Amino acid sequence: MAAAKKRVLIVSASIGSGHHQAARAIAAELARRQDNLQITIADFMEDTDSYLAAFMKEAYLKMLELSPNMYDLVYRVSQAPLPGFKAQGLLARVLQGGMAQLVRRHRPDLIIATHPFPCGAAAYLRDSRRLRAPLVGVITDFAVHRLWVYEHVDAYFVAAPEIKRELSALGVPARRIYASGIPVHPQFTANAGGRGILGELSLAADQPLVLLMGGGLGMGGIRQALASMDELKLPLQFVVLAGKNKELQEKLQEETKSLRHAVRVLGYTDRIPELMRAAAMLVTKPGALTVCEALVSETPLLLYEPIPGQEWENAVFLTQRGVALWAKNRQELKDGVTTLLTRPEQVEKLRKEAEALRRPAAAAAVATAALALQRRKR
């Protein structure tokens, strides 16, 4: 009689696409490593009846659209250690109902969280003895927010040794923290080239391709960035990804008719690995998953328009490590594109610095350690 499959629940949150991309990368590696697993990816913001989770998602998106500085203030205040008050504990308590629904539905033997909301809610269930399964947190940024920190998380996986030290300083025992890197899908580690996609898009094989991205939600000042870069007289061409932002995609398609350079505008696509391999450079807001995908693809990075809060901290970390350029205005954006397209020594310097941060096996490291943890807890 075959042994029952172990159930792994990977809980993401559809605030941007990075958390879900990390979940998919881990799921792919788990499936590759062990065939007696039942793997489910759940969206904490969509797959539960938690009205508060849905409200928080809408509030987050509206705040970024209407008042990014207000979001930055909320981020900083919730990060501060206020005496007698733990924001993460209160948040975990009010969100625990949604996680309890997922636990009842899927009866997991192992939970992996790629966002702090479900991680905290699951930790609350562990604390109240309503959950026995091991709990793993995968931090998908180059900084640690206090909302990640809970006593009942068995293991954390972080981007780099510096982040491990940062998390340890917040009270997490170092033995529970693995500097694995941020998981990226195996598609980004493939050796296959990406030049074929240029022909599919009717783009020139002999001109540098600038890939412009704004994450799954199409943020990051894409229209303004494209207009500024189009002023350059260098031979180049663009692929612009609008993500799931249909309104942005339509506006870009109309505006590109008057631009001097060849531009192709795409919506949400699964061809990003090929596009990154074909691109001479990537211009993007510094979502950590997109950055890690570019690092693994060895695509030079120019950061632009970070979301306040975690993306700003990502940009600071990446530029301090010397693995990316950061354009803080339109002139710096044009200068950065020019630098990366005309100064190969600068590109080589970025690539050399990126070697220490590039972690193509991050998903494998998470899968291996998480399964070992589940076996020990059993």
Side-chain angles (χ1 to χ4, degrees):
M1 182 176 178
K5 289 188 174 184
K6 294 299 178 183
R7 295 177 292 271
V8 180
L9 177 61
I10 307 175
V11 194
S12 178
S14 53
I15 300 179
S17 62
H19 308 289
H20 194 64
Q21 293 297 96
R24 289 182 63 243
I26 296 166
E29 190 60 38
L30 285 169
R32 190 184 72 82
R33 288 178 160 268
Q34 197 165 315
D35 59 6
N36 66 332
L37 298 175
Q38 179 180 315
I39 304 166
T40 302
I41 298 177
D43 181 349
F44 191 68
M45 316 304 280
E46 301 288 345
D47 295 340
T48 71
D49 296 329
S50 173
Y51 294 108
L52 180 59
F55 170 77
M56 291 175 69
K57 176 181 176 178
E58 290 302 315
Y60 167 81
L61 296 176
K62 281 295 182 186
M63 202 179 301
L64 290 181
E65 178 185 357
L66 301 175
S67 182
N69 290 335
M70 179 60 71
Y71 173 74
D72 188 51
L73 177 62
V74 171
Y75 180 88
R76 302 295 172 190
V77 169
S78 61
Q79 179 75 302
L82 302 179
F85 174 76
K86 291 186 176 180
Q88 67 266 41
L90 176 62
L91 189 61
R93 184 169 185 172
V94 299
L95 291 175
Q96 52 90 20
M99 180 55 68
Q101 289 177 26
L102 292 175
V103 169
R104 288 193 298 269
R105 187 182 307 159
H106 299 288
R107 297 177 292 117
D109 298 296
L110 171 67
I111 295 177
I112 300 173
T114 63
H115 190 277
F117 290 177
C119 187
Y124 184 87
L125 295 182
R126 285 278 302 272
D127 186 38
S128 57
R129 300 188 178 182
R130 287 182 288 160
L131 175 66
R132 295 178 60 86
L135 173 61
V136 167
V138 180
I139 299 179
T140 54
D141 279 301
F142 293 98
V144 178
H145 194 282
R146 193 171 291 273
L147 290 180
W148 272 107
V149 180
Y150 299 94
E151 179 183 354
H152 294 281
V153 179
D154 295 291
Y156 288 95
F157 295 87
V158 300
E162 297 97 317
I163 314 304
K164 178 176 180 176
R165 290 192 290 271
E166 187 178 339
L167 184 58
S168 183
L170 291 174
V172 178
R175 67 180 182 277
R176 295 187 189 175
I177 311 170
Y178 300 81
S180 60
I182 296 174
V184 300
H185 199 277
Q187 292 172 331
F188 289 91
T189 64
N191 293 323
R195 306 300 293 179
I197 199 168
L198 296 177
E200 292 180 39
L201 296 173
S202 300
L203 292 171
D206 59 349
Q207 285 195 7
L209 173 66
V210 176
L211 180 60
L212 176 58
M213 296 176 61
L217 300 175
M219 296 181 175
I222 287 180
R223 292 169 62 202
Q224 297 83 355
L226 179 61
S228 295
M229 291 187 292
D230 187 61
E231 295 173 4
L232 293 169
K233 296 180 180 179
L234 296 170
L236 52 84
Q237 55 196 343
F238 298 95
V239 169
V240 186
L241 302 186
K244 296 181 179 179
N245 192 330
K246 293 291 187 183
E247 181 182 358
L248 173 63
Q249 185 177 353
E250 291 171 2
K251 288 180 178 178
L252 283 167
Q253 286 171 335
E254 182 61 31
E255 291 169 359
T256 56
K257 295 175 184 177
S258 61
L259 299 183
R260 72 169 74 192
H261 295 97
V263 182
R264 300 293 179 266
V265 180
L266 305 178
Y268 194 83
T269 176
D270 60 1
R271 308 291 297 277
I272 294 176
E274 296 162 81
L275 288 166
M276 283 194 180
R277 287 193 288 270
M281 59 178 296
L282 170 64
V283 178
T284 182
K285 68 185 189 66
L289 257 294
T290 299
V291 165
C292 288
E293 290 164 354
L295 291 175
V296 169
S297 303
E298 299 189 33
T299 308
L301 279 162
L302 178 56
L303 308 179
Y304 186 64
E305 293 269 333
I307 292 173
Q310 65 270 31
E311 287 195 357
W312 184 274
E313 293 186 341
N314 289 344
V316 170
F317 177 90
L318 293 162
T319 50
Q320 286 179 345
R321 285 289 298 265
V323 304
L325 302 183
W326 182 1
K328 297 181 180 179
N329 55 54
R330 294 188 188 184
Q331 185 58 52
E332 289 186 6
L333 177 63
K334 292 190 287 186
D335 292 344
V337 172
T338 301
T339 295
L340 293 181
L341 293 183
T342 63
R343 293 179 55 192
E345 72 280 3
Q346 180 65 47
V347 173
E348 184 57 31
K349 182 179 179 181
L350 293 176
R351 284 185 173 144
K352 186 175 179 60
E353 294 297 331
E355 287 178 4
L357 201 58
R358 188 181 300 123
R359 301 291 179 87
V366 174
T368 299
L371 289 174
L373 173 66
Q374 190 275 325
R375 288 192 291 269
R376 288 199 304 273
K377 289 288 183 178
R378 182 181 60 190

